[in-house]
Amino acid sequence: MLERLTAGTDRPVGVNLIPEVVEPAALDRQVAQVLDETPQRVYLSFFGMPKDAVLARLAAAGRRTVVQVGTVEDGVRAAALSTVVVAQGIEAGGHLLGASLRDDLVGALRTLAPEACLVAAGGIGSPEEAARAVAAGADGVLLGTAFVVARESRAHARFKSAVTGAEAGDTVITDVYEIGWPGRRHRVLATAVTADPHQPAKFIGRTVVEGKPYLVARFSAAVPTEATSGRIEEMALYCGNSCGAITDEVPAADVVAAYAPVLPGAAVAKNRERAKAMPADEAHDEYHHDLSYREGVPPVRTRQGVELYCESTARASPSRRSTTSSSPPRSGGTTPTNSPGTTASSATTCAITAAPRACRRNRPGRSTRRM
């Protein structure tokens, strides 16, 4: 997977690791594999806080890191370790890391970690909603549901159709899709399974992962893809509150392009594009103008915040102003991931658009509820 990932692009790209679904030793092996088998342009992102030693190891290796959190405590801790911090609000689709509303979490983290590179996630389905997150203190946004229905996404057609036809009130927070990822609540579209969590955990479908066939059980955390068959409408249809603003299947690049103008730092990317069209001497001056903007920022955060944004725009059209990452089907029932707790990045499920301003100094029974 890593070889395919790095062969597919010469731009910054990420590998996502999920600390809570693997043992610490397994996470260490995953980190070591990424460091050993990928170039420096490959960054690592974590869904949930890893141990401090993991982030320190990556910093020592010169790798950029992104950590998604759902609490103020974890966000402050991540910011202190010079990572890009993704603040996930409860409006988000998929697995939830906390219980705070997005803008409340962003605002609290901006107050307590004013220099952090802070990205907002959860319920962002339009540029207007992204602008509200920026107003709350975010430096960029991370999208999930918008990319489920993107043209390049391998989500099952019925999954895409369900998302584009849904409103926020059609989502529920539940813990029923626990096979493969227990103990973590998730926001999904309401289904017959969320309505009656006492059904037997029988097999309800089949899927193919990395060319191998697997059965999918009811209550599996696995996502239905174009390779999945069976009772798609009963599977985990992860969907955020943003769905009401998402009505069409469009190219991923068009999704990113729509958000770029409302994000801080768009002018820097525009300067870079303009400089490429200038005579060499004028372009040199434009470059140094851009560089002087960036050099007023602490160097570590410059690498992690500004360049995550700017390197992806340097050779791309304005429609590609982001780094992107995606999650293939999570393990559930007998459906595996390519490597437990590991996902490689592509333009299918979520995009971080971090801007230059980012670089500032024993579980209970299953339950479902609507929020």
Side-chain angles (χ1 to χ4, degrees):
M1 184 199 305
L2 292 176
E3 184 177 354
R4 293 201 308 271
L5 176 70
T6 55
T9 180
D10 60 358
R11 297 187 178 124
V13 64
V15 174
N16 187 50
L17 305 177
I18 308 172
E20 71 180 19
V21 301
V22 295
E23 295 295 326
L27 182 65
D28 286 341
R29 288 193 296 272
Q30 291 173 348
V31 169
Q33 184 178 5
V34 175
L35 291 177
D36 291 343
E37 298 181 14
T38 64
Q40 286 292 107
R41 60 186 169 81
V42 174
Y43 67 91
L44 287 90
S45 67
F46 296 88
F47 186 83
M49 277 295 298
K51 292 188 178 300
D52 292 3
V54 173
L55 296 176
R57 177 183 183 183
L58 291 167
R63 292 297 180 111
R64 304 160 183 161
T65 54
V66 177
V67 178
Q68 187 165 175
V69 302
T71 66
V72 172
E73 180 183 7
D74 280 350
V76 170
R77 179 179 152 207
L81 294 165
S82 297
T83 71
V84 174
V85 180
V86 177
Q88 183 210 57
I90 200 170
E91 303 95 329
H95 292 81
L96 298 173
L97 293 165
S100 298
L101 293 172
R102 180 198 69 221
D103 291 349
D104 290 347
L105 181 59
V106 168
L109 288 175
R110 178 54 67 214
T111 298
L112 295 172
E115 304 299 319
C117 179
L118 188 57
V119 177
I124 301 174
S126 68
E128 293 76 19
E129 194 64 33
R132 281 189 277 274
V134 170
D139 301 302
V141 299
L142 184 146
L143 310 179
T145 304
F147 286 98
V148 169
V149 301
R151 193 164 296 165
E152 296 87 347
S153 168
R154 294 187 60 201
H156 195 280
R158 277 188 275 168
F159 183 8
K160 291 185 177 184
S161 178
V163 170
T164 57
E167 298 290 338
D170 297 319
T171 71
V172 294
I173 294 176
T174 182
D175 59 0
V176 301
Y177 293 107
E178 63 177 355
I179 299 175
W181 196 332
R184 179 65 67 184
R185 299 180 309 154
H186 32 267
R187 185 182 291 276
V188 296
L189 291 174
T191 66
V193 175
T194 63
D196 180 11
H198 303 295
Q199 301 176 61
K202 295 182 178 180
F203 293 116
I204 59 172
R206 300 173 182 272
T207 195
V208 178
V209 178
E210 292 290 300
K212 297 180 180 179
Y214 297 94
L215 294 172
V216 179
R218 183 180 288 128
F219 306 119
S220 168
V223 177
T225 71
E226 59 191 14
T228 307
S229 60
R231 301 178 188 174
I232 305 299
E233 66 282 355
E234 293 187 25
M235 297 181 187
L237 305 179
Y238 299 115
C239 182
N241 281 352
S242 59
C243 59
I246 300 168
T247 58
D248 298 303
E249 182 176 337
V250 299
D254 289 356
V255 176
V256 177
Y259 287 81
V262 304
L263 295 170
V268 173
K270 188 178 293 184
N271 285 344
R272 284 174 171 261
E273 293 297 324
R274 188 166 63 245
K276 287 190 295 184
M278 291 179 178
D281 55 343
E282 293 181 33
H284 181 271
D285 291 340
E286 188 74 18
Y287 168 78
H288 280 284
H289 172 76
D290 184 15
L291 186 62
S292 66
Y293 176 88
R294 296 169 62 193
E295 286 178 338
V297 173
V300 172
R301 293 192 177 92
T302 297
R303 276 210 327 273
Q304 294 181 338
V306 172
E307 293 182 8
L308 274 179
Y309 178 85
C310 290
E311 285 185 9
S312 63
T313 67
R315 286 167 292 168
S317 68
S319 64
R320 294 185 179 180
R321 292 173 181 166
S322 74
T323 56
T324 57
S325 62
S326 74
S327 300
R330 286 288 316 125
S331 60
T334 55
T335 311
T337 55
N338 293 300
S339 176
T342 309
T343 59
S345 296
S346 64
T348 55
T349 58
C350 60
I352 297 172
T353 309
R357 188 173 66 87
C359 303
R360 293 180 282 204
R361 307 261 166 220
N362 302 322
R363 52 190 306 277
R366 298 182 181 126
S367 65
T368 298
R369 61 194 177 101
R370 293 182 182 271
M371 285 191 67

